[in-house]
Amino acid sequence: MTGFAEFVAARGTALLRTAYLTCGSVHEAEDVLQTALEKACRNWSRIDDRDPEPYVRRIIVNTVISRARRRAILRIIPTGSPPDRPAPSDDPVLRHVLMDGLRALPPRQRAVIVLRYWEDLTVSQTAEILGCSVGTVKSQAAKATARLRALLAEEATNAG
Amino acid sequence: MLDDLKAAMAAETAHLAVAPDLAERVERRAARKRWRTLLASLLVPLLAAVGWWLVPQVAGMSAVPADQVIDGVEVGYLPPGLTRVPVERETEDGYTSITGLWTTGGGKPFVDGGDGVAVSVYRGPRIENTRAWLESFGNGETREIAGHEGVYSTGMGVDTFFWVPKPGMNVMINTVGVDLERVVAGITVR
């Protein structure tokens, strides 16, 4: 298939990182990425004349959100899933606090943070991927950053 | 703080990389799925017709019990042995949702190894029966089940199907160990 293998070789790891940050689990990130790439592969003849990355990224983010919704409904696993592995002990405290805070956010807020501040997408690009309004992206980003700031302040207080 | 966050995300993901054979595996799986989809497209109309005929015979034509009505949606088929768990109403990004959950012994599917059916009704002004909205709500394959055109997905033992029976309303069914198609076929929107 023309271009598909090259696309995966070039952008696969970046997309895996986005998937991991959005869902918080390496195993699930790999599964979500594979699901998204399969869908892209089946539709490759229709999408390879334009940049396929936004299409795949959109599938990744929406798959993570819909799986989180399904888990919440069936009450199987809390939506703020723990990390797969403990972070190395020599990592700075700040990183732990921020990443723990990111994992604890509701799935859509986490997706907004990853798309806006990891992928550097604009508010309107983020809204398009999530299928919501620009206003919703702004309010979700504001709530999420406020929660992260509160966590940092709490950590500073505890450290002091 | 945002610079710190980005640095933390970079450090957290630095060790991740895809397997060298990922593209090859994906292409193989996609090719297999194409055949399955083709086969399913041939069988679905037949199975749907059988389902539409069979479910009223099994479930009877009488109204369903009151606890099998979720926000105006009748759940006509539930397998025996499931117990209703209290309904919860929640709000998610502009949708109002209410879920009816039936599980083995009132327990938790997966955790207790039991079966489960969840029927969720979402309402909101943005809900519309378009491909764009369906994709924004959740990923999966476009599929017709029991006469409803919607989105189907499966994973971690859970089968999921959702569709928009009318503007402003989305119905989502999740099943664990239960025939999804029979549950969907038993749904009536009042």
Side-chain angles (χ1 to χ4, degrees):
Chain A
M1 185 173 297
T2 313
F4 180 74
E6 288 82 355
F7 170 72
V8 175
R11 303 303 304 154
T13 294
L15 290 166
L16 177 65
R17 289 173 178 168
T18 297
Y20 171 75
L21 290 169
T22 314
C23 71
S25 153
V26 174
H27 176 72
E28 186 171 357
E30 288 169 345
D31 190 52
V32 166
L33 175 62
Q34 186 152 325
T35 300
L37 289 174
E38 263 185 62
K39 190 164 184 178
C41 183
R42 291 200 301 276
N43 295 301
W44 195 252
S45 59
R46 276 185 280 164
I47 59 173
D48 71 346
D49 57 340
R50 55 182 197 271
D51 181 9
E53 190 164 345
Y55 175 80
V56 177
R57 194 188 290 123
R58 180 182 178 144
I59 300 172
I60 288 170
V61 170
N62 287 319
T63 300
V64 169
I65 292 171
S66 62
R67 285 185 180 187
R69 180 187 293 130
R70 187 162 59 189
R71 286 198 196 103
I73 285 173
L74 294 171
R75 302 171 184 182
I76 301 160
I77 307 165
T79 49
S81 49
D84 279 355
R85 59 186 178 83
S89 57
D90 60 349
D91 279 350
V93 171
L94 180 63
R95 177 179 156 194
H96 292 292
V97 173
L98 286 170
M99 294 312 297
D100 285 349
L102 184 67
R103 287 187 195 98
L105 293 175
R108 286 179 79 88
Q109 283 185 19
R110 198 161 60 218
V112 166
I113 291 293
V114 172
L115 293 172
R116 289 281 290 118
Y117 305 120
W118 172 251
E119 295 277 359
D120 291 325
L121 300 186
T122 64
V123 171
S124 57
Q125 286 171 326
T126 304
E128 193 183 337
I129 284 181
L130 294 173
C132 63
S133 67
V134 165
T136 300
V137 171
K138 287 180 181 170
S139 68
Q140 296 274 302
K143 282 179 192 168
T145 50
R147 282 181 74 166
L148 291 173
R149 283 201 177 91
L151 275 173
L152 283 178
E154 194 180 315
E155 183 62 30
T157 307
N158 292 341
Chain B
M1 185 202 73
L2 295 176
D3 288 340
D4 292 331
L5 179 62
K6 188 156 187 170
M9 290 193 281
E12 189 76 5
T13 58
H15 69 291
L16 295 176
V18 295
D21 66 339
L22 177 63
E24 195 183 323
R25 281 189 284 124
V26 166
E27 285 183 296
R28 273 202 307 271
R29 280 181 53 156
R32 280 201 299 271
K33 207 158 201 170
R34 268 191 213 104
W35 279 108
R36 284 206 300 270
T37 305
L38 179 64
L39 185 63
S41 69
L42 298 172
L43 288 175
V44 159
L46 176 67
L47 293 175
V50 171
W52 277 111
W53 176 81
L54 193 61
V55 167
Q57 316 302 316
V58 174
M61 299 306 290
S62 59
V64 300
D67 72 344
Q68 287 181 216
V69 180
I70 310 297
D71 197 12
V73 172
E74 292 181 4
V75 183
Y77 169 75
L78 287 169
L82 298 187
T83 305
R84 176 74 188 267
V85 178
V87 165
E88 285 185 5
R89 184 178 283 276
E90 51 191 57
T91 301
E92 180 184 320
D93 295 336
Y95 308 129
T96 302
S97 75
I98 188 162
T99 295
L101 178 66
W102 292 264
T103 66
T104 308
K108 299 173 183 176
F110 276 139
V111 176
D112 299 344
D115 299 337
V117 173
V119 177
S120 304
V121 180
Y122 293 81
R123 291 181 188 271
R126 288 192 291 119
I127 298 173
E128 53 183 19
N129 192 17
T130 61
R131 194 178 181 86
W133 187 85
L134 289 168
E135 282 187 358
S136 76
F137 188 77
N139 279 112
E141 297 168 14
T142 304
R143 189 178 283 195
E144 185 180 311
I145 296 183
H148 305 293
E149 185 84 23
V151 175
Y152 167 81
S153 61
T154 185
M156 300 176 296
V158 185
D159 289 330
T160 302
F161 182 68
F162 61 88
W163 74 99
V164 175
K166 58 186 180 184
M169 177 194 236
N170 176 48
V171 178
M172 180 165 71
I173 314 290
N174 286 279
T175 61
V176 179
V178 174
D179 185 346
L180 174 72
E181 187 162 340
R182 287 189 74 179
V183 178
V184 174
I187 295 291
T188 305
V189 177
R190 283 178 176 168

